[in-house]
Amino acid sequence: MIPSKHSISHGFNRIGANSLTQIRVHGLRNLHYNPNTVTVARSEEAHRRVIVTRRRPHWNYQQRTYASEAGASRVLPGSPRKPHFDKILVANRGEIACRVIRTARKLGIRCVAVYSEADHDALHVKMADEAYCIGPAPSSESYLKMDKIIDVCHLSGAQAVHPGYGFLSENAKFAERLSEEGIVFIGPPASAIISMGSKSESKNIMTSAGVPCVPGYHGDNQDPEFLFEQATEIGFPVLIKAIHGGGGKGMRTVIEATPDAFYEALTSAKRESLKSFGNDTVLVEKYIQRPRHVEVQIFADSMGGAISLWERDCSVQRRNQKIIEEAPAPGLSVELRESLSAKAVAAARAVKYAGAGTVEFIFDNDTQDFYFMEMNTRLQVEHPVTEMVTGLDLVEWQLEVAAGNPLSLDQSSVPLVGHAFEARIYAENPRNNFLPDSGQLLYLSTPTPTLTLPQSYKPSPTLISSNVESVAPTLVSYESVAPSVRLEQGFAQGSQIGVYYDPMIAKLIVHGKDRSEALRMLRKALDEYHVVGVSTNVEFLRTLAGNQAFIDAELETGFIPKHFHELFPPVTESAPEVLAQTALFVALRDYPKQQTSTAQSPWTSLVSRRFGGDVYERVIHLQDDTSTGEAQPMAVRIKSLVGGLFDVEVETSGTPVKFYDVSAKLISPTSLSITLNDKLSNITIVSQPPPPSIPASLSHNTMERLHVFSGERKTTLVIPTPQWLLMQGGDVLSAAAGTGALKAPMPSLVVEVRVKVGDRVEKGQGVIVLESMKTETVLRAGISGIVKVIGCKNGEMVQEGKELVNIEADEETKP
């Protein structure tokens, strides 16, 4: 069936093998696709009509395959450089797609975006010159569909594909398919992806080269019993790790040396790996107890050139995924830095690598030994910190190498200037085991970036000569570099953070003359990063950046659990000053006429007490979002005085606190100017109304939240649901309190229901497996008893708070 024609402001149909498909092309009104013929009609505003017809497979551009096959010998100095591509396709989404597009724009290269139905209004779609819908939201039906992406290449005339990271970036079959179609893969050859992208094969190669590797099993036998035997021989604890991909996906640590614990972790790791990378093969390694994660950024061209762009430290992680990275790695001696770089460059040359790659090492803090861990054959998420200390645009370098050009610098010319940090901002709840969150970005305010792309560094007039073959940084001084802030993001205010993809919202990057300055800038930038609509790790990152052990660079991958109590201090009651500020915001927001000098006082229409012609009183109740629904709300009593002043009394669990002659006014719907205790402050307060479909209850999800950003702290308060509304609507969501009810902790996909009605379960037994943001979570029984109700099924999408299973407690365990 042929769909009707629509303008680009209407819906789009997915690309199919035999269907006429509408696509979005910036600057064109209508464009429809037939697998064999493309017809383009330019908009009427162009004052002309141009019909372009192309037939597959005849494409009028030079055929190239991989970056490594673009030339056979090094280009001599002074030889003309090969031209860039005219148009590339970015086979990714989010911030990395936007990042690639920015560099391509700088170079005059047109960009083609692909997107799923869920990403119809995504930022990368708006930034690209053309954008094509390639399928439904699940990545297995869109971003991982090679045929659809290749079809778009032919349709759009894209000469090359930049895969970003994740999805198909380390898929050798995809690189081979592009080669067969005469399309350049902006990345290494398929042979290098296979050799170094496979964690098991790469370890075998490195072992043969004399590089020490972590003890483990890297073979093909995936029989669970055999793998458990290998784990027992290696010695627990062990790490189960997917041989393809990265980002902590398909990775599980097994502490308990029992078959049940091992098989559960193995099953979960394999399933997560298969969904994320299309391959469920895993390896098993000895788990080093106090490691640092240090990685070397390498770059190679197709003529045999290979250099190190120095190292990064990525030790601070949660769920085996990095959350803060820095370059260079602190505390490394010149000799160790040179040794790491030399081995990384040797690894690249061993597989005739081309393009950007990262060689990762584990550094044992106890023995001071380092071991090869894996090689990522793609651009890393954390590449901006390398860009900041070298002044090099790594995406531009990728495009140069893919076009067949040599590296533009030799090893001795690679700068190492200052220090840089990257903080990954995720939609997740750190106090709930970093569980991912989803929803709309109702409010987003960020620090002002000073850079959008890296700036190059100019050496000072006096250079110190060095050995060209050395892989240690040259002692060259550079012109002074101003501190800078950079922001890589793929979402804007109003964007939807869905459950189908990684929960990263943005990356915040800072650069300073040294580690202390960069860390100070990071703390300030995090103070200025405000998000409402989803839970984030921003406040946690701010706490981390101010932690003394982190300031002292006492780094290890177990940093978060080791310093857990410092990073997650007990939640204290909100300060009286914050409660006063919030209450005044509510009063002024609800009755904006109070802002005008001629307006009547807002309290005249309220059920309140009048003490005189000019004094009125209102009581506002507030509750900390971290408290339980049964906690007693705090009362804030406000009296309006003449001249826009207020007396405020805050009643908490302690002695009431009074503030007199407080000046306050709204300067925007989210900004309060207030003078409290003689201190003038501009406070950001953002309201988050409850979802209209959820009935009133004692659950904070059904109340209005007020997010208060004051200084370096964010406080979230709720306005309690009135008693009359609770009586009318019933406390639906808390009905199962005190029972064996298991509720969805976040919007999720039900992967596996492990029980059925009537089953007996023990406390701690896995009952439901959920997936959100490509991460699996196992819900376990909180009590022993009998399953009475199951409220979900495999494959079902469930909302946060939905009751999934109810367990009736045994008589002896009932309270």
Side-chain angles (χ1 to χ4, degrees), residues 395-474:
V395 174
E396 182 176 351
W397 273 41
Q398 285 186 298
L399 294 169
E400 286 280 2
V401 169
N405 290 312
L407 300 178
S408 58
L409 295 177
D410 57 30
Q411 187 67 66
S412 65
S413 303
V414 179
L416 180 56
V417 180
H419 203 95
F421 282 95
E422 174 185 279
R424 302 190 190 186
I425 296 174
Y426 282 100
E428 63 184 14
N429 186 346
R431 286 189 176 270
N432 191 15
N433 198 28
F434 295 94
L435 284 179
D437 197 9
S438 64
Q440 188 180 35
L441 296 180
L442 299 176
Y443 178 85
L444 178 63
S445 177
T446 67
T448 303
T450 59
L451 291 176
T452 55
L453 290 171
Q455 61 178 356
S456 59
Y457 300 128
K458 296 180 180 179
S460 61
T462 303
L463 299 180
I464 300 177
S465 61
S466 67
N467 182 357
V468 174
E469 297 301 319
S470 172
V471 284
T474 306

Side-chain angles (χ1 to χ4, degrees), residues 207-219:
T207 299
S208 299
V211 179
C213 295
V214 178
Y217 174 72
H218 310 134

Side-chain angles (χ1 to χ4, degrees), residues 222-278:
Q222 294 293 296
D223 177 69
E225 293 184 2
F226 175 80
L227 291 176
F228 178 69
E229 292 174 1
Q230 294 297 309
T232 303
E233 185 175 326
I234 295 166
F236 285 83
V238 297
L239 185 66
I240 301 173
K241 186 191 302 184
I243 69 166
H244 290 287
K249 307 299 182 187
M251 189 181 298
R252 297 291 185 274
T253 303
V254 188
I255 305 296
E256 187 179 346
T258 64
D260 288 345
F262 182 83
Y263 294 149
E264 180 176 327
L266 177 66
T267 300
S268 183
K270 279 179 165 289
R271 181 166 50 214
E272 193 171 274
S273 175
L274 185 63
K275 289 181 179 179
S276 298
F277 316 116

Side-chain angles (χ1 to χ4, degrees), residues 436-753:
D437 197 9
S438 64
Q440 188 180 35
L441 296 180
L442 299 176
Y443 178 85
L444 178 63
S445 177
T446 67
T448 303
T450 59
L451 291 176
T452 55
L453 290 171
Q455 61 178 356
S456 59
Y457 300 128
K458 296 180 180 179
S460 61
T462 303
L463 299 180
I464 300 177
S465 61
S466 67
N467 182 357
V468 174
E469 297 301 319
S470 172
V471 284
T474 306
L475 298 178
V476 175
S477 61
Y478 290 84
E479 296 179 354
S480 60
V481 178
S484 55
V485 177
R486 184 173 154 194
L487 192 61
E488 299 286 351
Q489 57 187 0
F491 301 96
Q493 182 170 304
S495 296
Q496 190 75 23
I497 307 298
V499 300
Y500 295 99
Y501 313 114
D502 188 88
M504 187 166 67
I505 299 172
K507 301 183 305 193
L508 183 61
I509 306 105
V510 298
H511 181 234
K513 65 181 179 182
D514 54 29
R515 191 174 188 269
S516 295
E517 181 176 80
L519 197 51
R520 186 168 61 249
M521 294 178 59
L522 178 63
R523 290 192 290 265
K524 182 177 184 298
L526 287 167
D527 287 342
E528 298 172 1
Y529 201 104
H530 301 162
V531 183
V532 171
V534 294
S535 301
T536 73
N537 66 339
V538 172
E539 191 172 3
F540 169 78
L541 289 170
R542 176 60 180 82
T543 303
L544 173 63
N547 179 270
Q548 191 58 50
F550 188 78
I551 293 172
D552 294 340
E554 298 173 4
L555 306 176
E556 59 180 276
T557 58
F559 187 93
I560 293 177
K562 180 176 181 179
H563 300 279
F564 184 87
H565 295 297
E566 301 167 34
L567 298 174
F568 295 97
V571 178
T572 58
E573 192 175 71
S574 294
E577 290 81 1
V578 173
L579 295 171
Q581 293 163 352
T582 307
L584 282 167
F585 170 83
V586 172
L588 295 172
R589 174 201 66 179
D590 290 350
Y591 301 96
K593 288 183 179 180
Q594 169 74 8
Q595 306 297 302
T596 64
S597 58
T598 59
Q600 193 177 20
S601 173
W603 282 273
T604 55
S605 60
L606 299 182
V607 179
S608 58
R609 291 176 293 162
R610 177 181 293 197
F611 292 94
D614 296 315
V615 180
Y616 303 88
E617 180 179 313
R618 181 184 176 188
V619 177
I620 295 173
H621 291 94
L622 298 169
Q623 202 168 16
D624 276 306
D625 194 30
T626 54
S627 65
T628 62
E630 293 77 17
Q632 198 67 21
M634 297 164 287
V636 182
R637 191 178 306 275
I638 301 174
K639 292 181 181 179
S640 71
L641 310 175
V642 294
L645 300 178
F646 303 87
D647 285 346
V648 183
E649 180 179 344
V650 179
E651 299 176 3
T652 63
S653 56
T655 304
V657 179
K658 296 181 180 181
F659 303 96
Y660 297 103
D661 295 330
V662 177
S663 172
K665 65 177 180 178
L666 288 179
I667 56 179
S668 80
T670 59
S671 185
L672 175 73
S673 178
I674 183 170
T675 301
L676 194 67
N677 290 336
D678 297 325
K679 179 182 179 181
L680 174 63
S681 304
N682 288 328
I683 310 297
T684 299
I685 303 179
V686 182
S687 168
Q688 183 181 2
S693 59
I694 299 181
S697 76
L698 293 176
S699 170
H700 289 183
N701 286 340
T702 68
M703 303 176 187
E704 179 187 9
R705 284 185 168 98
L706 296 168
H707 303 270
V708 185
F709 299 93
S710 178
E712 62 186 50
R713 184 174 179 183
K714 175 188 177 183
T715 302
T716 301
L717 302 168
V718 297
I719 299 178
T721 305
Q723 191 63 36
W724 65 267
L725 192 56
L726 285 175
M727 295 174 62
Q728 183 183 55
D731 192 4
V732 177
L733 292 184
S734 62
T739 71
L742 291 177
K743 298 180 181 181
M746 65 276 187
S748 312
L749 176 71
V750 178
V751 174
E752 182 184 3
V753 179

